[in-house]
């Protein structure tokens, strides 16, 4: 932890200066890599799967493992490595991608969401990943988060796949059974709160609590360039979301004292995130400074670099294939700086959870609130 802080504090100071345009951005601490856009789900909140339906040859454009290794080699240490999709476990070389991340990025946390449809594949690949981490970076935390948007057939309706709910439960229990052999393995469930389930959050949360999850995440359904859903009415009203979130806040506070330190820190950040997300929805502006494109970066399956997936295709920083896979060269380019200026000027706002957690870390009053929540839970 001390070594972590020694490295993180200088980065935070640099990020503050970089946001003002006084220095270069340095390297991000959080990388999200969408390893594929292929997905079996047909979610009401996301249309990413339609990309390959319209153009099946598009998958041939995905980065090969050799290209990914070159990119990772040019980046340096990353604290949080989020693997995203599509459905990440449909990428056949996902284990090899994580092995490359261990070798070149040395992440502290690897996080993978899943729709839980390919049950056997997910179980097999998870075991491979856990062995890879055990043998190559045994201090790295792995979290896997099956998605649960409702109960029984209502989940299947939102996700567009009959029988998906039963598969979520099956995958969840299979993953939980692995934990006794891998102490750094964290199993979560996650809900995307949309207009199709916002009124039923208490019912869903109670069901999840009874399952005995390590933690329960939720995020609000957003219109994102990445998901091709910017014209879709998916986001609940702020008042609906605030009412739903109040339940999560109470549950987290009731149970935090029974969690380990890693889980308490995670939940404390989550509590602060919820309050900020509500403010963003109500006030429709950046309620704290956003460090997208500085602290965080998003890489698409094709090597595009984005400040975040909300701006995504609308405000790309460039493609790594055009920069000979040299991340630092693209990251310090004039085009990348234009995107940072756009964000700094407050011309966008969103409650995206992944980025907001980093923004909290960079915002002293919000970070103090996190520390206060941790201390209260002791």
């Amino acid at each position: 932890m001390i070594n972590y802080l020694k490295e993180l504090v200088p980065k935070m100071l640099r990020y503050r200066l970089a946001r003002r345009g006084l220095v270069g951005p340095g390297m991000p601490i959080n990388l999200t890599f969408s390893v594929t856009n292929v997905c079996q789900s047909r979610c009401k909140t996301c249309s990413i799967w339609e990309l390959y339906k319209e153009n099946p040859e598009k998958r041939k454009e995905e980065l090969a493992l050799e290209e990914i290794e070159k990119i990772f080699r040019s980046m340096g240490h990353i604290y949080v490595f989020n693997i995203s999709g599509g459905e990440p476990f449909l990428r056949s070389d996902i284990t090899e991608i994580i092995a490359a991340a261990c070798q070149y990025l040395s992440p502290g946390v690897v996080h993978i969401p899943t729709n839980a449809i390919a049950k056997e594949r997910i179980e097999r690949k998870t075991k491979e990943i856990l062995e890879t981490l055990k043998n190559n970076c045994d201090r790295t935390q792995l979290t896997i988060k099956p998605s649960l948007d409702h109960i029984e057939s209502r989940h299947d309706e939102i996700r567009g796949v009959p029988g998906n709910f039963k598969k979520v439960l099956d995958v969840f229990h299979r993953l939980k059974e692995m934990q006794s052999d891998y102490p750094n393995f964290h199993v979560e469930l996650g809900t995307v709160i949309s207009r199709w389930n916002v009124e039923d959050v208490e019912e869903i949360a109670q069901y999840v609590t009874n399952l005995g999850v390590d933690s329960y995440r939720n995020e609000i359904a957003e219109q994102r360039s990445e998901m091709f859903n910017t014209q879709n009415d998916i986001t609940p009203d702020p008042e609906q979301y605030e009412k739903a979130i109040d339940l999560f806040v109470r549950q987290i506070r009731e149970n935090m004292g029974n969690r380990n330190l890693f889980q308490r820190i995670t939940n404390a950040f989550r509590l602060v995130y919820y309050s900020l997300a509500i403010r963003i929805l109500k006030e429709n502006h950046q309620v704290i400074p956003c460090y997208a494109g500085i602290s965080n970066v998003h890489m698409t399956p094709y090597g595009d670099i984005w400040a975040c997936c909300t701006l995504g295709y609308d405000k790309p920083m460039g493609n790594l294939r055009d920069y000979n896979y040299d991340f630092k060269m693209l990251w310090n380019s004039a085009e990348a700086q234009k995107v940072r200026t756009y964000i700094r000027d407050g011309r966008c706002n969103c409650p995206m959870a992944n980025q907001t957690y980093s923004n909290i870390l960079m915002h002293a009053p919000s970070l103090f609130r996190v520390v206060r929540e941790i201390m209260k839970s002791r």
Side-chain angles (χ1 to χ4, degrees):
M1 179 65 73
I2 293 175
N3 290 334
Y4 174 82
L5 291 173
K6 283 182 178 179
E7 189 173 353
L8 184 59
V9 170
K11 282 182 175 288
M12 293 170 65
L13 294 173
R14 177 162 189 160
Y15 292 162
R16 287 176 174 273
L17 295 174
R19 191 173 186 275
R20 294 175 173 83
L22 300 177
V23 300
M27 290 295 101
I29 57 174
N30 188 310
L31 166 64
T32 298
F33 179 20
S34 295
V35 294
T36 183
N37 282 339
V38 176
C39 191
Q40 318 99 308
S41 299
R42 299 294 182 262
C43 299
K44 289 184 176 182
T45 57
C46 175
S47 301
I48 200 170
W49 55 273
E50 292 186 344
L51 182 67
Y52 290 120
K53 178 184 177 182
E54 300 296 330
N55 183 11
E57 295 296 305
K58 184 72 175 174
R59 188 161 196 186
K60 294 180 181 178
E61 299 177 19
E62 291 180 355
L63 293 166
L65 182 61
E66 295 78 12
E67 295 176 292
I68 295 168
E69 289 176 339
K70 290 179 182 178
I71 294 166
F72 287 177
R73 193 181 301 126
S74 74
M75 292 188 71
H77 179 39
I78 293 291
Y79 293 94
V80 180
F81 181 38
N82 296 298
I83 297 177
S84 184
E87 168 52 36
F89 284 98
L90 291 183
R91 178 87 190 211
S92 61
D93 56 358
I94 186 172
T95 305
E96 290 76 15
I97 291 172
I98 292 176
C102 283
Q103 182 176 357
Y104 300 112
L105 305 179
S106 302
V109 176
V110 175
H111 174 69
I112 312 173
T114 178
N115 59 26
I117 293 175
K119 299 187 300 181
E120 285 74 21
R121 184 189 189 101
I122 293 166
E123 181 180 22
R124 184 179 70 255
K125 288 293 183 182
T126 297
K127 288 180 178 177
E128 291 178 4
I129 292 166
L130 286 167
E131 284 297 313
T132 296
L133 295 176
K134 182 178 179 180
N135 295 327
N136 297 281
C137 40
D138 59 353
R139 295 185 179 180
T140 299
Q141 293 271 348
L142 173 67
T143 67
I144 295 184
K145 183 191 69 176
S147 297
L148 185 72
D149 285 351
H150 220 305
I151 303 170
E152 299 290 351
S153 61
R154 288 170 291 181
H155 171 84
D156 299 346
E157 181 184 355
I158 293 172
R159 289 275 162 168
V161 178
N164 193 174
F165 176 78
K166 291 181 178 179
K167 291 182 177 181
V168 171
L169 295 188
D170 191 1
V171 167
F172 172 75
H173 290 302
R174 293 187 191 198
L175 296 178
K176 288 291 286 183
E177 288 176 2
M178 298 181 198
Q179 287 187 298
S180 59
D181 296 323
Y182 302 97
N184 290 349
F185 185 32
H186 189 70
V187 183
E188 303 179 329
L189 286 172
T191 298
V192 177
I193 298 179
S194 67
R195 65 183 185 88
W196 291 282
N197 62 8
V198 67
E199 300 290 348
D200 305 318
V201 165
E202 184 169 358
E203 178 187 2
I204 301 167
Q206 187 59 57
Y207 184 89
V208 169
T209 299
N210 292 338
L211 291 174
V213 294
D214 293 337
S215 65
Y216 178 38
R217 296 194 190 202
N218 71 78
E219 59 182 299
I220 192 166
E222 297 178 71
Q223 294 175 322
R224 298 179 182 175
S225 169
E226 175 196 30
M227 295 180 177
F228 304 99
N229 64 2
T230 55
Q231 303 303 314
N232 301 343
D233 181 18
I234 62 176
T235 307
D237 294 334
E239 291 74 18
Q240 291 178 306
Y241 181 67
E242 184 174 20
K243 181 180 177 181
I245 287 303
D246 181 63
L247 170 71
F248 289 114
V249 170
R250 285 186 278 111
Q251 285 190 333
I252 289 174
R253 289 203 169 110
E254 288 171 3
N255 297 314
M256 272 182 70
N258 301 321
R259 305 297 186 183
N260 62 38
L261 180 59
F262 176 76
Q263 293 168 348
R264 291 206 308 273
I265 293 172
T266 300
N267 283 329
F269 269 89
R270 202 164 291 154
L271 288 170
V272 177
Y273 161 72
Y274 290 151
S275 64
L276 291 174
I278 292 168
R279 284 188 59 197
I280 292 168
L281 290 173
K282 287 184 173 181
E283 300 174 24
N284 199 31
H285 71 96
Q286 292 179 19
V287 298
I288 64 174
C290 182
Y291 288 82
I294 300 175
S295 64
N296 291 35
V297 62
H298 191 114
M299 183 165 72
T300 75
Y302 324 109
D304 302 300
I305 291 296
W306 299 340
C308 69
C309 61
T310 301
L311 294 178
Y313 295 104
D314 296 333
K315 288 284 183 295
M317 289 180 157
N319 188 287
L320 285 162
R321 283 170 169 155
D322 298 329
Y323 287 81
N324 197 30
Y325 309 103
D326 188 331
F327 177 84
K328 292 178 182 177
M329 186 182 298
L330 187 156
W331 197 236
N332 288 284
S333 68
E335 194 61 30
Q337 188 54 42
K338 287 181 183 178
V339 178
R340 292 187 191 101
T341 301
Y342 179 90
I343 297 168
R344 182 197 65 199
D345 291 347
R347 298 171 66 186
C348 59
N349 63 84
C350 75
M352 185 172 67
N354 183 39
Q355 182 60 55
T356 304
Y357 291 139
S358 293
N359 295 344
I360 291 169
L361 190 66
M362 296 299 304
H363 185 243
S366 296
L367 188 57
F368 176 76
R369 290 180 60 194
V370 170
V371 174
R372 187 173 58 189
E373 293 290 352
I374 296 170
M375 298 302 293
K376 285 165 57 177
S377 69
R378 295 177 63 184

